[in-house]
Amino acid sequence: MVIVNEQRKLSASLSLIFRCKISCIFVLLTQFTLSLVPRFFAASPFIVQFALSGLVLLLVQTLCGWCRRLLGVRASAPAFVFFNILFIWGFYIAVVRQAVSSLIGGLFNIEVAMIIIGLCSIMSKDPGLITNEFPHLDKLVEGSELGVDPDNENSLSRKRVRYCKICKAHVEGFDHHCPAFGNCIGQNNYFLFIVLLVGFLATEASYVACSAQFVGKSQNFDKSQSENDWVVNLATSTMLFSILQLLWQAVFFMWHIYCVCFNVRTDEWVNWKKYPEFQVIESEPGESFTRMRFTNPYDKGFLQNVKDFLSLRR
């Protein structure tokens, strides 16, 4: 039995290493493909290059997905995020930092180091997994209809325990399963998740500013004297990539700010018809049918909701 377990662990480790290698290849392919946009459309306005970068990024990700399915291989989403961070950080250290001050460079390096630490932390942190110590846990699956017991704060419903079909686990305060971080987002790591989002936004904004400064200084030199056009192209493409990340992450961040202010989880908002505590049945006098509308029993007002969120720090 011990030998079998060791073989399983070894097989899992080798599989993870292989998936990380696939993710690394996809990162390199993505970044160098994006660098072709400023290479062939250098004379185009920035907004055109930005739009083309978005299309190219979407196309590359789609083709990579088809290749994975065709070859029967799997990649690791957290590794893809991690290698993108390392790629941009490495390019910054090797090239971009020469165009910025030591103070700004030091701050950027600290930002990157902090999000790497945060990424490792959220990947390993228990999101609030529920064990079999609770009665009727086996009944709590996706779409279950456990009622709310307002007099029992320890009931599964009051703890907002939801079932994640990806992890096949029950999670307290479940918000969503995050493929990028390879973990569920729940009661124990929701605060860290928000902080990490802020860290990504700040770091990407810093890199955009630094790379824009580098590109601006590089363009001041006469093109005939420039022997490193590919460096400028890569600086421009990584800047465009960071702006694309900033845009969708900013929208994602604003959504979660809304969730914090109204004390609602993403899963509850999307699947509220599966959870009876979010349903109010109404019928008008004289009408033969009823209608169901959304209500949030956990909304305690803006100030208390924010206070409850801040209490998640641990």
Side-chain angles (χ1 to χ4, degrees), residues 160 175 190-191 193-195 252-266 296 298-312:
R160 306 169 85 168
D175 184 86
Y190 190 54
F191 183 85
F193 173 76
I194 298 297
V195 172
F252 198 51
F253 175 71
M254 293 304 298
W255 162 251
H256 282 285
I257 292 299
Y258 170 86
C259 290
V260 168
C261 293
F262 291 93
N263 198 5
V264 67
R265 301 289 190 263
T266 301
N296 184 6
Y298 303 107
D299 187 0
K300 304 172 186 176
F302 172 76
L303 293 178
Q304 187 59 44
N305 291 339
V306 173
K307 183 178 178 181
D308 289 346
F309 167 74
L310 294 176
S311 69
L312 297 178

Side-chain angles (χ1 to χ4, degrees), residues 87-206:
F87 182 90
I88 290 180
W89 195 17
F91 183 74
Y92 169 83
I93 293 174
V95 177
V96 177
R97 69 182 177 89
Q98 60 185 292
V100 300
S101 66
S102 299
L103 176 60
I104 295 177
L107 290 175
F108 178 75
N109 288 328
I110 292 174
E111 287 175 340
V112 176
M114 292 301 294
I115 64 170
I116 290 177
I117 294 172
L119 183 61
C120 295
S121 178
I122 201 169
M123 288 170 60
S124 59
K125 188 176 179 64
D126 176 11
L129 298 176
I130 299 298
T131 60
N132 292 325
E133 61 190 43
F134 289 88
H136 310 300
L137 183 63
D138 58 330
K139 297 180 180 179
L140 188 62
V141 295
E142 185 184 16
S144 63
E145 297 187 357
L146 292 180
V148 174
D149 182 2
D151 298 324
N152 183 6
E153 291 295 329
N154 293 320
S155 68
L156 289 173
S157 295
R158 293 299 294 177
K159 284 180 171 292
R160 306 169 85 168
V161 176
R162 314 298 181 195
Y163 181 75
C164 175
K165 60 182 180 180
I166 297 177
C167 293
K168 294 181 174 58
H170 304 88
V171 181
E172 180 181 355
F174 178 72
D175 184 86
H176 70 286
H177 182 88
C178 183
F181 297 153
N183 200 0
C184 289
I185 305 302
Q187 185 79 4
N188 292 354
N189 63 357
Y190 190 54
F191 183 85
L192 176 60
F193 173 76
I194 298 297
V195 172
L196 196 53
L197 269 181
V198 174
F200 270 98
L201 291 171
T203 305
E204 288 158 353
S206 296

